[in-house]
Amino acid sequence: MAKAIPQPKEGILDIDPYVPGESKLAAGTKPIKLSSNETPLGPSPKAVAAFKDVAGSLERYPDGAHTALRAAIAKRFGLNPDRIVCGAGSDELLTMLAHAYLGPGDEAIYTEHGFLLYKIIILANGATPVVAPEKDLRTDIDAILARVSERTKAVFLANPNNPTGSYISFDEVRALRAKLPPHVLLVLDAAYAEYVMRNDYEAGIELVATTSNTVMTRTFSKIHGLAGLRLGWAYCPEAIADVLNRIRGPFNVSLPALYAGVAAIEDAEHETASAEHNARWLPWLAAEIEKLGLKVSPSVANFVLVHFPQGEERGARAADAFLKSQGIIVRRIEAYGLPNALRITVGTESDNRAVVSALSAFVGRAAA
Ligand code: PMP
């Protein structure tokens, strides 16, 4: 008889572990890293100063209620601080939501090329992932609604979505909410909200304020440049904030993250500079790559999705290997069901120029 070993809960061994964007090349080379949608401008210098300031107090526990950070976020966006919950990255908040609301027998919906974490957190709680097809790499609310069953407990929607870069308008989000049954939790993951320059977009604050079944998650990892610290927040109906506060770790956000987070959210100037940098270089990158004859999906976030022709020598795998040989790391997204595309984060001016010139060399070489 085989020795009994501890067994995880059902669903956990069905999870394919999340594979982060690569970050290293051969020893000794400093790569241009455009694989994880990190900001090329770095964090606010004020956030860095706040981080350094607390270095002398690391023996202290952080404020478990995150009072100062919630107050700073509330002030910035005009929100009720009691309905803000902070976490170690928005990953933690999404994970807590799944933990609180999903269990065996439940279903949760996400879109065809939705952020990979959703499948992981659904399976981790013994629930069943249900995938709604997208239309032209864009969320299709009718496809989501068509997959709602009596068992549906939650819908996870990244808006804008990673890795497609597409978004749906506030009217569409509102229509989705209106047609979902009231007991279904709608999670609006707005990790890239600050980059969106569209009049018809709304991250989710208004729906959270006016419904009792919608949550919006936000992150400090992208435009605020604090991915390494792990910090995110959720805006919730009161009852859902109460649930998250019951299950979260008492000190789930570290002391440096709390301090740097306050400084980051208060530095609107730095945020604007980062948004403007992106607004300048996102269209440039897309246009220059399209000039090479490659298709680029329209993106409102801080990355582009580049599609390659079929064929071993001209395809995404070969392009990725070539970019690596030039010291440039981008993201392969086979795991998202897009085997012939690469996701490339908007970088500094010189990163962007380097990527275009490397892709140009690749396209020329592949055509030769
Ligand atoms: N949502 C989306 C759509 C993302 O792309 C990411 C980062 N890859 C996250 C959430 C998680 O970000 P974090 O945990 O760093 O806040």
Side-chain angles (χ1 to χ4, degrees):
M1 204 173 82
K3 254 198 196 148
I5 58 163
Q7 292 298 314
K9 288 186 288 188
E10 206 168 314
I12 289 181
L13 294 180
D14 298 329
I15 294 173
D16 293 323
Y18 184 86
V19 181
E22 292 177 80
S23 57
K24 289 205 178 72
L25 287 178
T29 33
K30 186 165 185 313
I32 295 176
K33 184 176 181 295
L34 303 172
S35 56
S36 301
N37 301 340
E38 296 147 340
T39 171
L41 269 64
S44 154
K46 292 175 185 161
V48 176
F51 176 85
K52 287 185 178 158
D53 274 356
V54 293
S57 313
L58 295 182
E59 75 283 7
R60 301 268 177 235
Y61 275 100
D63 166 21
H66 318 141
T67 314
L69 179 59
R70 286 188 299 109
I73 296 168
K75 184 164 168 223
R76 177 72 199 282
F77 293 97
L79 306 178
N80 175 352
D82 296 340
R83 294 170 55 172
I84 296 171
V85 180
C86 301
S90 50
D91 280 358
E92 191 197 18
L93 294 156
L94 294 162
T95 303
M96 285 197 288
L97 285 163
H99 182 46
Y101 290 96
L102 299 178
D106 295 336
E107 294 175 356
I109 303 173
Y110 58 91
T111 67
E112 188 178 356
H113 306 294
F115 182 41
L116 276 183
L117 181 76
Y118 307 149
K119 185 175 178 187
I120 295 175
I121 60 183
I122 294 165
L123 286 170
N125 290 286
T128 305
V130 175
V131 179
E134 295 174 3
K135 233 187 222 162
D136 298 330
L137 301 180
R138 187 171 173 279
T139 293
D140 175 0
I141 62 167
D142 293 325
I144 294 176
L145 290 166
R147 277 154 189 82
V148 172
S149 79
E150 276 172 15
R151 297 172 163 224
T152 308
K153 281 283 191 61
V155 174
F156 292 95
L157 182 66
N159 195 30
N161 185 44
N162 167 23
T164 54
S166 62
Y167 80 108
I168 59 171
S169 69
F170 185 44
D171 282 350
E172 289 171 279
V173 178
R174 200 168 18 202
L176 173 65
R177 176 67 276 175
K179 291 178 189 163
L180 282 172
H183 70 273
V184 174
L185 174 68
L186 175 61
V187 180
L188 299 173
D189 172 351
Y192 301 93
E194 296 87 351
Y195 293 109
V196 185
M197 305 279 169
R198 293 287 193 283
N199 290 335
D200 60 353
Y201 174 78
E202 208 275 322
I205 288 174
E206 201 175 314
L207 267 184
V208 177
T210 53
T211 67
S212 54
N213 41 20
T214 309
V215 169
M216 172 190 70
T217 58
R218 303 285 286 258
T219 184
F220 282 79
S221 301
K222 307 298 175 188
I223 207 157
H224 296 294
L226 296 175
L229 267 188
R230 311 305 302 127
L231 185 61
W233 58 282
Y235 195 48
C236 313
E238 224 164 283
I240 296 179
D242 173 59
V243 165
L244 296 184
N245 282 324
R246 285 169 198 263
I247 63 169
R248 71 178 172 82
F251 304 105
N252 62 325
V253 178
S254 74
L255 188 67
L258 288 176
Y259 275 79
V262 170
I265 207 85
E266 286 177 347
D267 192 348
E269 213 173 297
H270 184 75
E271 187 182 321
T272 303
S274 299
E276 281 173 357
H277 176 88
N278 198 65
R280 154 114 177 71
W281 289 100
L282 176 76
W284 183 89
L285 195 57
E288 292 297 316
I289 295 174
E290 286 202 314
K291 279 187 207 159
L292 304 174
L294 299 169
K295 187 172 172 294
V296 181
S297 291
S299 170
V300 295
N302 69 336
F303 53 85
V304 289
L305 182 66
V306 183
H307 302 270
F308 290 81
Q310 298 294 334
E312 218 161 279
E313 274 160 38
R314 290 145 43 99
R317 185 187 287 266
D320 180 50
F322 183 77
L323 290 175
K324 273 205 190 103
S325 76
Q326 305 299 302
I328 301 171
I329 306 182
V330 300
R331 184 79 143 113
R332 294 214 57 208
I333 44 173
E334 271 176 328
Y336 285 91
L338 294 164
N340 219 15
L342 295 176
R343 193 193 70 197
I344 304 177
T345 308
V346 173
T348 60
E349 172 170 355
S350 72
D351 295 346
N352 300 330
R353 291 191 188 281
V355 127
V356 169
S357 104
L359 280 174
S360 166
F362 171 74
V363 169
R365 204 185 66 144

